[in-house]
Amino acid sequence: MIKTWHLGDSRQSMVLASFDGRLPEVVYWGPALPEGEAHQAIAAASIADVSGGMVDRNAAVSLSPEASQTFPGHCGLSVRDKNGTQLAPDSRFRSEAVSEHGVTLVFADDALGLTLTFNLALDAKSSLFKLRSSLESADEIIVDWLAAPVLPVPAHTGEMIEFSGRWCAEFLTRRIPFAPGARVRDNRTGRTDHAHFPGLIVCSPGTRNTSGEAYAFHYGWSGGHKMVAEELQDGRRHVQFGHASGSLPVGRTFHSAPLYVTYSGSGLNGAATRFQKHARNLVAEGARSPRPVHYNCWEAVYFDHELDELRSIASQAADLGAERFVLDDGWFGRRDDDTTSLGDWVIDRRKYPDGLTPLIEHVKALGMEFGIWFEPEMINEDSDLYRSHPDWVLGPADQIRGRQQLVLDMSRQDVRSYLYEHIASVLKHHDVGYIKWDHNRVLPVVDASQAEGTYALIDRLRADFPQVEIESCASGGGRIDFGILERTQRVWLSDSNDALERQRIQHDAALFLPASVTGSHVGPRKCHTSGRVLDIKLRSWTAAQRHMGFEMDPRELTEQEAATLRMVTGWWKANRDWMMQADILRLDSSDPAIIAEQQLAADGSRFVAFAAQMRPSDQILPYPLQLTGLDPNAVYKINLINQDEAPALSRGAPLLKEHDLEVSGQYLMSHGLILPWRFPETIWVLEGRRL
């Protein structure tokens, strides 16, 4: 007996089958199947042969591959009874519930008292599958591994793009071949982490940004994850995601986080734009529209808060075009450096004898929103909170410290209540519209309840203060995932404000993140994290590619630099309404020295393209820049916004140096634009409108 289920839309299809009541397996995932396709025939055709040296029936790559079925690879569930004895469930079909865009499938092993439930749905707006596994037990059990629904990937793909990174170099990508055995990433830092963004893209060797097939995965969880990408000895391949090893407590009910997946037949961009759209939808409620230009005072003053100086900085930031002023670390307790006061969320009366109200009133009078920094999950030993409650610390007393701080145990209700009361007090008594929520160290132990506790605290604050936006920051990009984005409206992509580093980080993060949630700031002339000195034009246009802001001391700017920043900020404000809803399309540059992208309006009527010259090119003349996503039969008018920046060594007469260009979308995509020559560490910006 074969039972089948189909999920899909005009872009992709997924067909599942259960044979003889056993756990379902994905027998097709790829381009959309035609109406009336014979799903039973597809299921029957999926049965592979057996040969010498094999068991007599192939164990299924099911949604949770089972050891009881002699599965030869990494099983989808590893579970023990409370005494530590390994269990081997043999689950059978119990029930189904079908909705318009999804299905819930229930399978059980009655002898062991275990029930597996798979929730599978296709988001009609974004064309992302959202998949989740749940396990219930009649008795207390130990779960070492519970995978979200496990998916096969086809043999003809052959490669995967995985993500790593570090502080100030997030979203590093590496393209590696599938090979026999398992590629395992087990992130036990207790948070999403710079080095372990929970994503994977399986693709073909020829897949590029604009062409080829891609199967993209993202595990929407903030507490550390494990990924398995395995090629079995029989040649089949599958991908698993779940919570990090050892993070689940003993219990009777267990859940994976949502696994978001999609198939694209139009290159990496086809998958990326679906993730971008889903993230925009996640943060739509509660996010300011239009997105305000951000100013953060951290790299201007650090811990040295002086009211008149902050007023002066706020005035100059407003003059440059800022619409939100964020008071960063240093306003509470006796916080003069990073060794003290985390947990003491009361205003430092030495620095603010009349409280925060005088600064907030000044900021509001300038027409700006006021925001403030918290790091709620952390505690310093030199704090009143630690002296009162050393028992609230997560992990052993002799643990290695991180950034001079320890971590609060967020699974405790009393900890969450304390934090809520102190944060809520600040929000109730001050006109605050924004929180920068930081998380500056990895956890001493891996524990899923830590992330769940943080979610619960944020959820409570969001319910009681819905007008307050929250930014997720974790030493930059250490906690960026769809789990945290269900609760926040912005992410701080990296602590690096180096525009060259940002170009690369933003480019690779666009595989999952839209501009509207991705903070990007114009940093100081000399970058505080790289030591590099970069021109204000590159710094400004780089920030204008995402949710724009400033994070420097505005008093350092020359008149010319200030004029440039005002001009770019004005351009961003004039275009932000459509840009913050635009798809970010990564361009396939023929020159590896160029990072280029195109932001295409939702209705296709206009776009902006950015081409950053990261280093000197190997050839003399610029290669044509091919655009993407345009109507081949439409005519577009192209304007090089910053044509006046061509240096003296650009001695020729490319048309765009002095004139607009009107050509077809076909020409722009197949031949591309010939840009003027320019120095490295600079950028061209092009606007296009459909006529």
PDB file of all heavy atoms in Angstrom, residues 368-395:
ATOM      1  N   MET A 368      14.107  63.155  15.994  1.00  0.00           N
ATOM      2  CA  MET A 368      14.617  61.789  15.948  1.00  0.00           C
ATOM      3  C   MET A 368      13.941  60.916  16.996  1.00  0.00           C
ATOM      4  O   MET A 368      13.525  61.387  18.056  1.00  0.00           O
ATOM      5  CB  MET A 368      16.132  61.762  16.177  1.00  0.00           C
ATOM      6  CG  MET A 368      16.952  62.369  15.047  1.00  0.00           C
ATOM      7  SD  MET A 368      18.731  62.013  15.192  1.00  0.00           S
ATOM      8  CE  MET A 368      19.163  62.974  16.640  1.00  0.00           C
ATOM      9  N   GLU A 369      13.865  59.635  16.706  1.00  0.00           N
ATOM     10  CA  GLU A 369      13.445  58.628  17.673  1.00  0.00           C
ATOM     11  C   GLU A 369      14.627  58.289  18.569  1.00  0.00           C
ATOM     12  O   GLU A 369      15.785  58.338  18.132  1.00  0.00           O
ATOM     13  CB  GLU A 369      12.959  57.389  16.931  1.00  0.00           C
ATOM     14  CG  GLU A 369      12.472  56.253  17.804  1.00  0.00           C
ATOM     15  CD  GLU A 369      11.985  55.068  16.973  1.00  0.00           C
ATOM     16  OE1 GLU A 369      12.836  54.300  16.481  1.00  0.00           O
ATOM     17  OE2 GLU A 369      10.768  54.933  16.807  1.00  0.00           O
ATOM     18  N   PHE A 370      14.339  57.908  19.826  1.00  0.00           N
ATOM     19  CA  PHE A 370      15.401  57.550  20.763  1.00  0.00           C
ATOM     20  C   PHE A 370      15.448  56.036  20.946  1.00  0.00           C
ATOM     21  O   PHE A 370      14.415  55.385  21.150  1.00  0.00           O
ATOM     22  CB  PHE A 370      15.170  58.220  22.118  1.00  0.00           C
ATOM     23  CG  PHE A 370      16.248  57.929  23.136  1.00  0.00           C
ATOM     24  CD1 PHE A 370      17.450  58.620  23.112  1.00  0.00           C
ATOM     25  CD2 PHE A 370      16.067  56.958  24.111  1.00  0.00           C
ATOM     26  CE1 PHE A 370      18.443  58.356  24.049  1.00  0.00           C
ATOM     27  CE2 PHE A 370      17.049  56.691  25.054  1.00  0.00           C
ATOM     28  CZ  PHE A 370      18.245  57.388  25.016  1.00  0.00           C
ATOM     29  N   GLY A 371      16.646  55.474  20.876  1.00  0.00           N
ATOM     30  CA  GLY A 371      16.861  54.056  21.117  1.00  0.00           C
ATOM     31  C   GLY A 371      17.925  53.836  22.173  1.00  0.00           C
ATOM     32  O   GLY A 371      18.714  54.732  22.485  1.00  0.00           O
ATOM     33  N   ILE A 372      17.966  52.634  22.735  1.00  0.00           N
ATOM     34  CA  ILE A 372      18.865  52.364  23.861  1.00  0.00           C
ATOM     35  C   ILE A 372      19.374  50.928  23.785  1.00  0.00           C
ATOM     36  O   ILE A 372      18.704  50.043  23.257  1.00  0.00           O
ATOM     37  CB  ILE A 372      18.146  52.643  25.200  1.00  0.00           C
ATOM     38  CG1 ILE A 372      19.137  52.731  26.358  1.00  0.00           C
ATOM     39  CG2 ILE A 372      17.053  51.594  25.459  1.00  0.00           C
ATOM     40  CD1 ILE A 372      18.525  53.340  27.619  1.00  0.00           C
ATOM     41  N   TRP A 373      20.567  50.715  24.354  1.00  0.00           N
ATOM     42  CA  TRP A 373      21.266  49.421  24.321  1.00  0.00           C
ATOM     43  C   TRP A 373      21.012  48.638  25.600  1.00  0.00           C
ATOM     44  O   TRP A 373      21.046  49.174  26.703  1.00  0.00           O
ATOM     45  CB  TRP A 373      22.759  49.688  24.159  1.00  0.00           C
ATOM     46  CG  TRP A 373      23.661  48.493  24.062  1.00  0.00           C
ATOM     47  CD1 TRP A 373      24.105  47.883  22.923  1.00  0.00           C
ATOM     48  CD2 TRP A 373      24.313  47.796  25.152  1.00  0.00           C
ATOM     49  NE1 TRP A 373      24.977  46.849  23.226  1.00  0.00           N
ATOM     50  CE2 TRP A 373      25.109  46.764  24.592  1.00  0.00           C
ATOM     51  CE3 TRP A 373      24.278  47.925  26.538  1.00  0.00           C
ATOM     52  CZ2 TRP A 373      25.877  45.896  25.362  1.00  0.00           C
ATOM     53  CZ3 TRP A 373      25.035  47.056  27.323  1.00  0.00           C
ATOM     54  CH2 TRP A 373      25.822  46.049  26.730  1.00  0.00           C
ATOM     55  N   PHE A 374      20.768  47.340  25.443  1.00  0.00           N
ATOM     56  CA  PHE A 374      20.716  46.391  26.562  1.00  0.00           C
ATOM     57  C   PHE A 374      21.503  45.141  26.174  1.00  0.00           C
ATOM     58  O   PHE A 374      21.600  44.800  24.985  1.00  0.00           O
ATOM     59  CB  PHE A 374      19.280  45.956  26.867  1.00  0.00           C
ATOM     60  CG  PHE A 374      18.419  46.962  27.565  1.00  0.00           C
ATOM     61  CD1 PHE A 374      17.591  47.804  26.847  1.00  0.00           C
ATOM     62  CD2 PHE A 374      18.416  47.056  28.959  1.00  0.00           C
ATOM     63  CE1 PHE A 374      16.767  48.717  27.489  1.00  0.00           C
ATOM     64  CE2 PHE A 374      17.595  47.965  29.607  1.00  0.00           C
ATOM     65  CZ  PHE A 374      16.775  48.805  28.869  1.00  0.00           C
ATOM     66  N   GLU A 375      22.025  44.471  27.184  1.00  0.00           N
ATOM     67  CA  GLU A 375      22.558  43.117  26.988  1.00  0.00           C
ATOM     68  C   GLU A 375      21.959  42.233  28.091  1.00  0.00           C
ATOM     69  O   GLU A 375      22.638  41.829  29.035  1.00  0.00           O
ATOM     70  CB  GLU A 375      24.084  43.099  27.031  1.00  0.00           C
ATOM     71  CG  GLU A 375      24.643  41.776  26.537  1.00  0.00           C
ATOM     72  CD  GLU A 375      26.160  41.772  26.414  1.00  0.00           C
ATOM     73  OE1 GLU A 375      26.818  42.755  26.816  1.00  0.00           O
ATOM     74  OE2 GLU A 375      26.697  40.758  25.917  1.00  0.00           O
ATOM     75  N   PRO A 376      20.672  41.907  27.964  1.00  0.00           N
ATOM     76  CA  PRO A 376      19.930  41.327  29.097  1.00  0.00           C
ATOM     77  C   PRO A 376      20.416  39.967  29.560  1.00  0.00           C
ATOM     78  O   PRO A 376      20.280  39.645  30.752  1.00  0.00           O
ATOM     79  CB  PRO A 376      18.499  41.237  28.550  1.00  0.00           C
ATOM     80  CG  PRO A 376      18.431  42.265  27.469  1.00  0.00           C
ATOM     81  CD  PRO A 376      19.790  42.239  26.845  1.00  0.00           C
ATOM     82  N   GLU A 377      20.940  39.148  28.668  1.00  0.00           N
ATOM     83  CA  GLU A 377      21.272  37.772  29.037  1.00  0.00           C
ATOM     84  C   GLU A 377      22.604  37.638  29.765  1.00  0.00           C
ATOM     85  O   GLU A 377      22.992  36.528  30.137  1.00  0.00           O
ATOM     86  CB  GLU A 377      21.287  36.896  27.780  1.00  0.00           C
ATOM     87  CG  GLU A 377      19.932  36.782  27.104  1.00  0.00           C
ATOM     88  CD  GLU A 377      20.035  36.732  25.595  1.00  0.00           C
ATOM     89  OE1 GLU A 377      20.086  37.800  24.953  1.00  0.00           O
ATOM     90  OE2 GLU A 377      20.056  35.613  25.051  1.00  0.00           O
ATOM     91  N   MET A 378      23.316  38.753  29.966  1.00  0.00           N
ATOM     92  CA  MET A 378      24.661  38.705  30.518  1.00  0.00           C
ATOM     93  C   MET A 378      24.753  39.377  31.881  1.00  0.00           C
ATOM     94  O   MET A 378      23.910  40.180  32.265  1.00  0.00           O
ATOM     95  CB  MET A 378      25.630  39.378  29.539  1.00  0.00           C
ATOM     96  CG  MET A 378      25.632  38.742  28.160  1.00  0.00           C
ATOM     97  SD  MET A 378      26.226  37.022  28.190  1.00  0.00           S
ATOM     98  CE  MET A 378      25.556  36.425  26.632  1.00  0.00           C
ATOM     99  N   ILE A 379      25.826  39.037  32.600  1.00  0.00           N
ATOM    100  CA  ILE A 379      26.054  39.577  33.937  1.00  0.00           C
ATOM    101  C   ILE A 379      27.554  39.685  34.192  1.00  0.00           C
ATOM    102  O   ILE A 379      28.331  38.819  33.763  1.00  0.00           O
ATOM    103  CB  ILE A 379      25.377  38.679  35.011  1.00  0.00           C
ATOM    104  CG1 ILE A 379      25.496  39.279  36.406  1.00  0.00           C
ATOM    105  CG2 ILE A 379      25.912  37.261  34.970  1.00  0.00           C
ATOM    106  CD1 ILE A 379      24.681  38.536  37.469  1.00  0.00           C
ATOM    107  N   ASN A 380      27.962  40.766  34.859  1.00  0.00           N
ATOM    108  CA  ASN A 380      29.340  40.897  35.344  1.00  0.00           C
ATOM    109  C   ASN A 380      29.416  40.472  36.802  1.00  0.00           C
ATOM    110  O   ASN A 380      28.470  40.676  37.579  1.00  0.00           O
ATOM    111  CB  ASN A 380      29.825  42.344  35.243  1.00  0.00           C
ATOM    112  CG  ASN A 380      30.098  42.795  33.823  1.00  0.00           C
ATOM    113  OD1 ASN A 380      29.513  43.765  33.361  1.00  0.00           O
ATOM    114  ND2 ASN A 380      30.991  42.101  33.129  1.00  0.00           N
ATOM    115  N   GLU A 381      30.556  39.919  37.179  1.00  0.00           N
ATOM    116  CA  GLU A 381      30.752  39.593  38.597  1.00  0.00           C
ATOM    117  C   GLU A 381      30.800  40.856  39.454  1.00  0.00           C
ATOM    118  O   GLU A 381      30.398  40.838  40.622  1.00  0.00           O
ATOM    119  CB  GLU A 381      32.016  38.763  38.763  1.00  0.00           C
ATOM    120  CG  GLU A 381      31.842  37.347  38.227  1.00  0.00           C
ATOM    121  CD  GLU A 381      33.168  36.637  38.007  1.00  0.00           C
ATOM    122  OE1 GLU A 381      33.820  36.894  36.978  1.00  0.00           O
ATOM    123  OE2 GLU A 381      33.524  35.812  38.874  1.00  0.00           O
ATOM    124  N   ASP A 382      31.312  41.945  38.872  1.00  0.00           N
ATOM    125  CA  ASP A 382      31.281  43.228  39.566  1.00  0.00           C
ATOM    126  C   ASP A 382      29.950  43.910  39.256  1.00  0.00           C
ATOM    127  O   ASP A 382      29.845  44.812  38.428  1.00  0.00           O
ATOM    128  CB  ASP A 382      32.449  44.104  39.105  1.00  0.00           C
ATOM    129  CG  ASP A 382      32.490  45.441  39.846  1.00  0.00           C
ATOM    130  OD1 ASP A 382      31.740  45.593  40.833  1.00  0.00           O
ATOM    131  OD2 ASP A 382      33.249  46.331  39.418  1.00  0.00           O
ATOM    132  N   SER A 383      28.903  43.420  39.907  1.00  0.00           N
ATOM    133  CA  SER A 383      27.566  43.989  39.732  1.00  0.00           C
ATOM    134  C   SER A 383      26.757  43.696  40.982  1.00  0.00           C
ATOM    135  O   SER A 383      26.991  42.705  41.688  1.00  0.00           O
ATOM    136  CB  SER A 383      26.860  43.401  38.504  1.00  0.00           C
ATOM    137  OG  SER A 383      26.561  42.026  38.707  1.00  0.00           O
ATOM    138  N   ASP A 384      25.797  44.550  41.252  1.00  0.00           N
ATOM    139  CA  ASP A 384      24.913  44.307  42.394  1.00  0.00           C
ATOM    140  C   ASP A 384      24.105  43.033  42.193  1.00  0.00           C
ATOM    141  O   ASP A 384      23.829  42.293  43.151  1.00  0.00           O
ATOM    142  CB  ASP A 384      23.971  45.498  42.591  1.00  0.00           C
ATOM    143  CG  ASP A 384      24.709  46.755  43.043  1.00  0.00           C
ATOM    144  OD1 ASP A 384      25.838  46.624  43.568  1.00  0.00           O
ATOM    145  OD2 ASP A 384      24.163  47.851  42.854  1.00  0.00           O
ATOM    146  N   LEU A 385      23.713  42.766  40.944  1.00  0.00           N
ATOM    147  CA  LEU A 385      22.917  41.569  40.671  1.00  0.00           C
ATOM    148  C   LEU A 385      23.710  40.306  40.993  1.00  0.00           C
ATOM    149  O   LEU A 385      23.181  39.379  41.624  1.00  0.00           O
ATOM    150  CB  LEU A 385      22.464  41.553  39.213  1.00  0.00           C
ATOM    151  CG  LEU A 385      21.625  40.340  38.811  1.00  0.00           C
ATOM    152  CD1 LEU A 385      20.328  40.272  39.614  1.00  0.00           C
ATOM    153  CD2 LEU A 385      21.322  40.354  37.305  1.00  0.00           C
ATOM    154  N   TYR A 386      24.963  40.249  40.583  1.00  0.00           N
ATOM    155  CA  TYR A 386      25.767  39.055  40.863  1.00  0.00           C
ATOM    156  C   TYR A 386      25.974  38.884  42.362  1.00  0.00           C
ATOM    157  O   TYR A 386      25.908  37.770  42.888  1.00  0.00           O
ATOM    158  CB  TYR A 386      27.109  39.134  40.152  1.00  0.00           C
ATOM    159  CG  TYR A 386      27.974  37.917  40.391  1.00  0.00           C
ATOM    160  CD1 TYR A 386      27.807  36.767  39.630  1.00  0.00           C
ATOM    161  CD2 TYR A 386      28.938  37.909  41.399  1.00  0.00           C
ATOM    162  CE1 TYR A 386      28.586  35.638  39.858  1.00  0.00           C
ATOM    163  CE2 TYR A 386      29.719  36.790  41.637  1.00  0.00           C
ATOM    164  CZ  TYR A 386      29.537  35.652  40.861  1.00  0.00           C
ATOM    165  OH  TYR A 386      30.307  34.530  41.095  1.00  0.00           O
ATOM    166  N   ARG A 387      26.222  39.993  43.053  1.00  0.00           N
ATOM    167  CA  ARG A 387      26.439  39.893  44.499  1.00  0.00           C
ATOM    168  C   ARG A 387      25.179  39.391  45.202  1.00  0.00           C
ATOM    169  O   ARG A 387      25.265  38.701  46.230  1.00  0.00           O
ATOM    170  CB  ARG A 387      26.885  41.255  45.040  1.00  0.00           C
ATOM    171  CG  ARG A 387      28.341  41.587  44.692  1.00  0.00           C
ATOM    172  CD  ARG A 387      28.794  42.902  45.291  1.00  0.00           C
ATOM    173  NE  ARG A 387      28.327  44.050  44.525  1.00  0.00           N
ATOM    174  CZ  ARG A 387      28.995  44.577  43.503  1.00  0.00           C
ATOM    175  NH1 ARG A 387      30.154  44.053  43.106  1.00  0.00           N
ATOM    176  NH2 ARG A 387      28.512  45.637  42.864  1.00  0.00           N
ATOM    177  N   SER A 388      24.015  39.705  44.643  1.00  0.00           N
ATOM    178  CA  SER A 388      22.757  39.243  45.247  1.00  0.00           C
ATOM    179  C   SER A 388      22.376  37.840  44.797  1.00  0.00           C
ATOM    180  O   SER A 388      21.797  37.067  45.573  1.00  0.00           O
ATOM    181  CB  SER A 388      21.623  40.204  44.882  1.00  0.00           C
ATOM    182  OG  SER A 388      21.866  41.492  45.364  1.00  0.00           O
ATOM    183  N   HIS A 389      22.700  37.484  43.554  1.00  0.00           N
ATOM    184  CA  HIS A 389      22.224  36.221  42.986  1.00  0.00           C
ATOM    185  C   HIS A 389      23.321  35.515  42.169  1.00  0.00           C
ATOM    186  O   HIS A 389      23.172  35.328  40.959  1.00  0.00           O
ATOM    187  CB  HIS A 389      21.009  36.472  42.086  1.00  0.00           C
ATOM    188  CG  HIS A 389      19.788  36.886  42.826  1.00  0.00           C
ATOM    189  ND1 HIS A 389      19.044  36.007  43.587  1.00  0.00           N
ATOM    190  CD2 HIS A 389      19.190  38.099  42.941  1.00  0.00           C
ATOM    191  CE1 HIS A 389      18.023  36.650  44.124  1.00  0.00           C
ATOM    192  NE2 HIS A 389      18.088  37.921  43.752  1.00  0.00           N
ATOM    193  N   PRO A 390      24.389  35.085  42.801  1.00  0.00           N
ATOM    194  CA  PRO A 390      25.385  34.304  42.045  1.00  0.00           C
ATOM    195  C   PRO A 390      24.806  32.991  41.528  1.00  0.00           C
ATOM    196  O   PRO A 390      25.329  32.410  40.573  1.00  0.00           O
ATOM    197  CB  PRO A 390      26.498  34.065  43.072  1.00  0.00           C
ATOM    198  CG  PRO A 390      25.825  34.207  44.411  1.00  0.00           C
ATOM    199  CD  PRO A 390      24.764  35.248  44.214  1.00  0.00           C
ATOM    200  N   ASP A 391      23.702  32.548  42.139  1.00  0.00           N
ATOM    201  CA  ASP A 391      23.065  31.299  41.716  1.00  0.00           C
ATOM    202  C   ASP A 391      22.328  31.447  40.384  1.00  0.00           C
ATOM    203  O   ASP A 391      21.898  30.444  39.801  1.00  0.00           O
ATOM    204  CB  ASP A 391      22.076  30.834  42.783  1.00  0.00           C
ATOM    205  CG  ASP A 391      21.044  31.903  43.142  1.00  0.00           C
ATOM    206  OD1 ASP A 391      21.450  33.070  43.381  1.00  0.00           O
ATOM    207  OD2 ASP A 391      19.846  31.585  43.176  1.00  0.00           O
ATOM    208  N   TRP A 392      22.181  32.647  39.879  1.00  0.00           N
ATOM    209  CA  TRP A 392      21.492  32.867  38.611  1.00  0.00           C
ATOM    210  C   TRP A 392      22.417  32.660  37.403  1.00  0.00           C
ATOM    211  O   TRP A 392      21.970  32.750  36.256  1.00  0.00           O
ATOM    212  CB  TRP A 392      20.919  34.279  38.553  1.00  0.00           C
ATOM    213  CG  TRP A 392      19.664  34.438  39.384  1.00  0.00           C
ATOM    214  CD1 TRP A 392      19.089  33.504  40.208  1.00  0.00           C
ATOM    215  CD2 TRP A 392      18.837  35.603  39.457  1.00  0.00           C
ATOM    216  NE1 TRP A 392      17.950  34.011  40.783  1.00  0.00           N
ATOM    217  CE2 TRP A 392      17.763  35.295  40.353  1.00  0.00           C
ATOM    218  CE3 TRP A 392      18.879  36.860  38.874  1.00  0.00           C
ATOM    219  CZ2 TRP A 392      16.764  36.220  40.653  1.00  0.00           C
ATOM    220  CZ3 TRP A 392      17.884  37.777  39.178  1.00  0.00           C
ATOM    221  CH2 TRP A 392      16.836  37.473  40.051  1.00  0.00           C
ATOM    222  N   VAL A 393      23.672  32.395  37.644  1.00  0.00           N
ATOM    223  CA  VAL A 393      24.635  32.255  36.550  1.00  0.00           C
ATOM    224  C   VAL A 393      24.499  30.885  35.896  1.00  0.00           C
ATOM    225  O   VAL A 393      24.344  29.858  36.579  1.00  0.00           O
ATOM    226  CB  VAL A 393      26.070  32.474  37.065  1.00  0.00           C
ATOM    227  CG1 VAL A 393      27.105  32.083  36.007  1.00  0.00           C
ATOM    228  CG2 VAL A 393      26.258  33.928  37.480  1.00  0.00           C
ATOM    229  N   LEU A 394      24.575  30.867  34.583  1.00  0.00           N
ATOM    230  CA  LEU A 394      24.537  29.618  33.820  1.00  0.00           C
ATOM    231  C   LEU A 394      25.922  28.976  33.807  1.00  0.00           C
ATOM    232  O   LEU A 394      26.915  29.635  33.484  1.00  0.00           O
ATOM    233  CB  LEU A 394      24.089  29.906  32.384  1.00  0.00           C
ATOM    234  CG  LEU A 394      23.979  28.708  31.438  1.00  0.00           C
ATOM    235  CD1 LEU A 394      22.809  27.813  31.823  1.00  0.00           C
ATOM    236  CD2 LEU A 394      23.834  29.188  29.988  1.00  0.00           C
ATOM    237  N   GLY A 395      25.989  27.690  34.145  1.00  0.00           N
ATOM    238  CA  GLY A 395      27.243  26.961  34.061  1.00  0.00           C
ATOM    239  C   GLY A 395      28.047  26.984  35.347  1.00  0.00           C
ATOM    240  O   GLY A 395      27.672  27.625  36.334  1.00  0.00           O
TER     241      GLY A 395
END
